[in-house]
Each structure stands twice: as C-alpha cells, then as structure tokens.
Amino acid sequence: MPSAFDTNMRFKFSILALLLEVVIIVLFGIFVEYDNSNASQTLYPLFQDVHVMIFVGFGFLMTFLKKYGFSSVGINMLIAAFGLQWGTLMQGLLHTKGGKIHVDIISMINADFSTATALISFGAVLGKTSPLQMLILTILEITIFACNEYLVAEILQATDVGASMTIHAFGAYFGLAVTLVLYRPGLKNKHENEESTYHSDLFAMIGTLFLWLFWPSFNSAIASQPIYRMKAIVNTYYSLSACTVVTFALSSLVDQRGKFNMVLIQNATLAGGVAVGTCADMSIHPFAAMCIGSIAGIISVLGYHFLTPLLESKLNIQDTCGVHNLHGLPGILGGIAGIIVTAIKDEVRHGIHFTPGMQAAALGSSIGIALAGGALTGGILKLPFLGQASDQNCFDDSVYWEVPEEEKPHEIHSNNYDEHSRFEANM
C-alpha cells in the first residue's frame, strides 16, 4: 500500500477518539458530582469570556496559513472539547473531596485553562501534525500540566493568577520541545504553503481581537476575592493597551520601509496580557502594569524579527506560529515580574505568604517540566503509524479535510517525497 495512505484517519483516529470518549464518560460517572455550594455562579460571565477565547480566539488566531484554515479552527475545537473533559478529570483527581470530583463554574474555568496549554503547543507544530497526533498530545500535555500546576500552587505555594508561568510559558516550551523532536529537514527551506494571504491574515486578526478584548477576564477569572479580581482586570487592561502601542511603533521601526507587519500586530499586541498575568492581582499600580506590557511588546517584536529565524536555522526549532514570542518569552517576563513584586511587596493570600524564592522555583519547574514532557511527547508522536503528512503535504487542509473543489490542489504528493527532501536538506 502506498505510504500516502498513512494519512487516512478513517479507523485509527475514529476508534481512538470514540474509545477515549467512552473512557471519559465512564470516569465521569464514577467520580464527578455537582458542587452545590452555589459560590461560583456569579463567575459565569467570566467563564463565557474565557470560553470564547479558547474556542474562537485561539482558533482564528491560527488561521493565517493560506491553506490551513479548516485545520486551525477545526482541530482547535477538537483539542478544546476533548481537553476540557480530560482537564476536569486530571485537575479534579488532584483535588478530590471525599473521593469525588466536584464541578462548578470555577472548575469549568480551570478546565478551559488546561486546554489552553495544548492549544499553545498546537501553534508550535501547526501544519505538521495529524489529528491523531494532536489527540495524543492533548492527553499527555494536560496530564503533565495538571501535575505541574499542583506542584506550583499546592506544594511551592506560588501565585500565578493569570498563569504566565503555568499555562503560557509551560505551553510554549512544551510545544517547542515537541517541534524540536519532530524536526523536519525537508521544511528547512520555507514551504510554499507556509505563508498567508490578505484574507487569511484578516481572519487571524479576528482571533487577535477576541483574545485582546477578553484577556482581562482570563487573568482575573480565578482571583480569590473581588478586590483582587478588580486589580487583575485593571492591570491587564492597561498592560495590553501599552503593549499594543509599543508593538505598532516597533513593527514600523524594524521594517526598512517603515510598514506595519501583520504577523507582529496579530501576536505581539497580546504579549502584555501574558506578561502581566502572574502579578495581575497584586497592588503593582497601573503604571507598573503598563511598563510590563511595554517591555513585553518589545520582547515579542524583537523575538519574531530576530530570534525565530535564529532558532530555526541554528537549533532546528520550527515554530510555526511563533509561540515562543507570544507565550514563552512574555511568560518568563511574567514570572520574573512575580519574583520582583513578591520581593518588594508583602503579598499574602489565605494565610500564604508569597516569596520570591517560591516564585522562582515555580517558573523553573514550569519550564523544566514542560521541556522534559514535551521531549517525551515528541518521541511518542514520532511513531510512524500516527498519520503524519509528508513534508510536501504539510500546511494543507486537503490531507485531512474535504475542501471545496476550487481549493483542492491538483494532487496529494506521496509521502516518498519525505525521503527525497530530507536527502536534499542533508546534502
């Protein structure tokens, strides 16, 4: 049978997806109960905002590739729908009460948060993995994420209300480790489909706007008290605004013709929301939030312009969406900001005194566990029967989707192209 048929998802994906869903339903039947305390009902508007970010914001942000829009939005939906169920179980099993997982609005928000890590990693490998691979990645990453989050919050007792470290940095470096292990020499020279069109960039900007508008909800949703929630909303609001202005300024500055770059506007404008996350609910003053946002914008723009090409050429890290610049570097900045704030201010929540040492340990554990977990996951995803496309067929919806006739390529190339392209890349 020709190797091109390896991308046929008819049985291997369908059987695994149905089997996993049956297992999850059984586990829900055994462990999951309603939380009848009614304490979190007022958080439903915040949950709606986070839910829209996960399904619409992240999904449309990745539609910039000219022939990969179906996969960007569709696989995003698959990962999120499966991940929120698995996240409920993994996070709940670490916080059981009487052997049961009690679900309410807060647990739903946290379940959505857990899917964000997998969606960030999806951005790093966008266009180069099969739906089956992404399903496996989601299982493994959310499991590892839940363990790291428990380590950070319960054992190290660090604060990370907007999850700069536990979601953004974790998801980015997990994805970078996966894409490093899955390195494709045949894609060293830019693939013809790894580019955008006017309309695909416009669709991606829709994702940016949804994320930008709802990011204050993301950073404040799990704040412990209304006063802290208000601070998180205000700080995120001004951090994003400052970051956006700086991003536009630097986008023009780094271009020899002084023009704006849509890739930078789509992504770097959001870095302020990532970077202010760890200390969003602290009394840092809007001035400091704006400084954090401005620095995040600078780091993100320079990362896209200078660091991404360097990582690809020197370290073989093929980061499709540039998650290192939107989530990785700003996530580290957020962790550092948390260390500084806890060093100069006395921050206490529920009797827990936050210290710079524990904040630093939380940042280190998030990055270290992400890199190790990503490398392990990448090794598993390299198994040859998981339906990955050939190098020539990357970044193309028609490999896994029915697409309109006018969008179909003339042919789907044989996976034998892989061997030829890798040979050429190694010459």
Side-chain angles (χ1 to χ4, degrees):
M1 182 177 289
S3 58
F5 282 92
D6 291 345
T7 58
N8 190 323
M9 294 284 105
R10 184 178 183 187
F11 293 112
K12 49 192 171 185
F13 173 81
S14 301
I15 292 172
L16 179 63
L18 291 173
L19 179 62
L20 289 171
E21 187 61 31
V22 169
V23 170
I24 288 175
I25 290 172
V26 171
L27 291 175
F28 263 67
I30 296 172
F31 292 107
V32 177
E33 299 283 353
Y34 296 117
D35 188 330
N36 296 316
S37 64
N38 297 323
S40 67
Q41 288 185 358
T42 58
L43 296 178
Y44 186 72
L46 293 174
F47 163 73
Q48 285 181 305
D49 293 349
V50 172
H51 215 45
V52 169
M53 289 179 70
I54 296 298
F55 282 87
V56 180
F58 278 102
F60 275 90
L61 182 63
M62 292 186 277
T63 59
F64 67 96
L65 291 172
K66 64 181 183 181
K67 291 186 177 181
Y68 212 66
F70 284 14
S71 296
S72 298
V73 176
I75 303 303
N76 182 94
M77 184 178 186
L78 170 68
I79 293 171
F82 175 73
L84 67 87
Q85 299 174 72
W86 190 249
T88 298
L89 291 172
M90 291 300 100
Q91 291 174 308
L93 288 172
L94 294 170
H95 301 89
T96 56
K97 299 175 184 177
K100 294 291 185 179
I101 298 169
H102 292 85
V103 295
D104 57 5
I105 304 299
I106 292 177
S107 68
M108 290 163 62
I109 291 172
N110 281 318
D112 273 7
F113 281 173
S114 71
T115 68
T117 58
L119 296 176
I120 291 167
S121 299
F122 179 41
V125 298
L126 187 70
K128 299 170 292 188
T129 50
S130 71
L132 185 59
Q133 287 176 305
M134 290 313 305
L135 204 58
I136 295 171
L137 179 144
T138 303
I139 299 169
L140 297 174
E141 181 166 7
I142 289 179
T143 303
I144 298 169
F145 158 78
C147 295
N148 178 67
E149 185 188 47
Y150 183 83
L151 171 65
V152 168
E154 302 297 330
I155 298 177
L156 297 178
Q157 295 188 327
T159 181
D160 192 22
V161 69
S164 299
M165 301 181 290
T166 54
I167 291 178
H168 297 290
F170 181 93
Y173 287 103
F174 193 102
L176 292 176
V178 171
T179 196
L180 175 62
V181 175
L182 298 181
Y183 174 65
R184 291 172 175 259
L187 298 181
K188 193 165 188 177
N189 297 322
K190 193 175 179 69
H191 192 284
E192 60 180 353
N193 290 334
E194 195 180 358
E195 58 184 29
S196 63
T197 63
Y198 187 87
H199 291 97
S200 66
D201 268 336
L202 194 59
F203 272 111
M205 194 64 194
I206 293 173
T208 298
L209 291 173
F210 271 102
L211 291 170
W212 200 95
L213 291 171
F214 291 138
W215 215 293
S217 296
F218 190 96
N219 281 355
S220 64
I222 60 171
S224 57
Q225 295 179 26
I227 183 62
Y228 300 135
R229 188 170 299 119
M230 182 276 293
K231 289 178 181 178
I233 291 171
V234 170
N235 288 333
T236 306
Y237 180 80
Y238 287 109
S239 179
L240 282 166
S241 300
C243 178
T244 299
V245 175
V246 170
T247 297
F248 270 89
L250 281 184
S251 177
S252 175
L253 185 63
V254 298
D255 187 90
Q256 293 184 346
R257 297 170 297 171
K259 294 186 177 183
F260 300 124
N261 185 319
M262 199 51 153
V263 172
L264 299 178
I265 305 307
Q266 288 163 358
N267 294 279
T269 53
L270 301 171
V274 175
V276 79
T278 296
C279 56
D281 64 337
M282 300 180 188
S283 301
I284 60 173
H285 197 275
F287 159 79
M290 295 168 78
C291 291
I292 292 171
S294 299
I295 296 170
I298 294 170
I299 290 174
S300 186
V301 169
L302 296 181
Y304 273 103
H305 196 72
F306 298 108
L307 189 56
T308 295
L310 188 66
L311 291 177
E312 184 166 352
S313 62
K314 301 299 183 183
L315 298 181
N316 296 334
I317 296 176
Q318 298 166 327
D319 182 5
T320 306
C321 289
V323 299
H324 188 225
N325 311 301
L326 171 54
H327 301 280
L329 295 176
I332 291 176
L333 175 62
I336 294 172
I339 294 169
I340 294 171
V341 172
T342 53
I344 62 179
K345 283 184 174 288
D346 191 33
E347 292 286 344
V348 180
R349 300 284 189 279
H350 301 299
I352 299 172
H353 184 266
F354 300 129
T355 66
M358 290 298 98
Q359 293 297 128
L363 178 59
S365 76
S366 296
I367 295 174
I369 292 173
L371 289 172
L376 174 63
T377 301
I380 294 172
L381 298 186
K382 286 191 77 172
L383 294 173
F385 51 82
L386 297 181
Q388 53 267 52
S390 66
D391 291 350
Q392 180 69 1
N393 293 332
C394 286
F395 314 109
D396 192 336
D397 276 333
S398 63
V399 178
Y400 302 110
W401 294 83
E402 286 289 343
V403 299
E405 287 295 330
E406 62 271 18
E407 298 294 335
K408 286 184 179 179
H410 293 298
E411 61 176 331
I412 297 295
H413 298 272
S414 168
N415 278 353
N416 291 333
Y417 174 85
D418 271 351
E419 301 303 321
H420 178 66
S421 58
R422 288 172 183 166
F423 174 78
E424 287 185 333
N426 291 326
M427 288 296 287

